[in-house]
Amino acid sequence: MSRRLRDGGHFDRIFLWMAPVWGIGALTFLLPGREVSPEMLTAIFLLSMSAIGVVVALVARDIAVFLLDAGLLFEGFFQQASRLVLPAFAFLTFYSLCIIMFGAFYTILDRFMVEPNFIIDGVRRDLTFPEGLYFSLVTFATVGYGDIHPVTGAVRLVCGIEIVMGVLLLLFGFSAIIGHAAPRDRRDRDGPL
């Protein structure tokens, strides 16, 4: 039935009833800024709502078909989205775990080295754990704001490894998530989407 309703050419008819409804609605929003008495505003509002009611009454079948089509499309969307919950959660968990591990590694490395390995806001000092997490997130996402940056070769090497790992994780992670959302059997392929 969905295909029959969608193939009936109702889409262009939507604009025939939506345009006057939106036009009337837009005009009612423009009126309160004008110097119009409250009684006149009330009368204009009632008149415009009556006009919208008449338009809706004349095209009730088209509105029902439109709402049914929209409902079917949303049903298909939420069916696909529900298949993405588990792989997206796994991806975000692994992504977060990598950021935490690199952030902890930067902080620990900075504590055991003689000289601080980072320049933070123009000052060479030891990295705190929250700063390590922030730096790890910025590096893993390859944003690199520049407010914290490494100054020793060892830490720069670890940053390079983290950048490559972040890019690969994004590529393979999104590929796996999208692949997991693909319809698995014939029943899924014949769904609303």
Side-chain angles (χ1 to χ4, degrees):
M1 184 170 182
S2 166
R3 297 226 189 279
R4 186 170 59 93
L5 289 174
R6 232 180 274 148
D7 293 340
H10 301 285
F11 189 74
D12 56 341
R13 295 174 66 180
I14 291 170
F15 294 109
L16 291 176
W17 61 266
M18 276 192 160
V21 168
W22 285 349
I24 293 167
L27 288 175
T28 59
F29 280 108
L30 295 175
L31 283 177
R34 310 280 185 243
E35 294 181 18
V36 180
S37 70
E39 294 82 19
M40 185 62 128
L41 276 177
T42 301
I44 292 171
F45 180 72
L46 287 175
L47 183 65
S48 63
M49 291 303 112
S50 299
I52 289 174
V54 168
V55 170
V56 169
L58 292 174
V59 293
R61 183 180 181 283
D62 291 336
I63 292 173
V65 169
F66 170 72
L67 292 175
L68 185 64
D69 273 349
L72 290 170
L73 289 173
F74 277 113
E75 179 184 5
F77 170 76
F78 286 120
Q79 282 176 353
Q80 281 188 332
S82 69
R83 287 193 293 259
L84 294 177
V85 171
L86 185 64
F89 181 75
F91 171 76
L92 290 174
T93 301
F94 187 68
Y95 196 85
S96 301
L97 186 63
C98 290
I99 289 170
I100 292 168
M101 287 182 356
F102 275 103
F105 184 74
Y106 292 134
T107 306
I108 291 169
L109 188 65
D110 212 28
R111 293 285 186 267
F112 288 110
M113 300 291 278
V114 176
E115 291 287 322
N117 292 300
F118 294 92
I119 294 179
I120 304 163
D121 293 328
V123 178
R124 189 170 180 169
R125 65 174 175 85
D126 285 334
L127 190 71
T128 65
F129 183 63
E131 290 170 336
L133 287 176
Y134 165 76
F135 177 73
S136 178
L137 175 65
V138 168
T139 303
F140 207 68
T142 67
V143 176
Y145 292 118
D147 52 348
I148 301 175
H149 62 276
V151 292
T152 61
V155 175
R156 287 180 179 165
L157 178 66
V158 174
C159 289
I161 292 169
E162 184 179 13
I163 290 169
V164 170
M165 196 172 144
V167 170
L168 289 176
L169 181 62
L170 282 175
L171 290 173
F172 291 121
F174 284 141
S175 173
I177 290 171
I178 298 302
H180 196 75
R184 300 223 187 294
D185 60 7
R186 182 169 166 68
R187 187 172 37 98
D188 284 346
R189 279 187 226 117
D190 291 337
L193 290 177

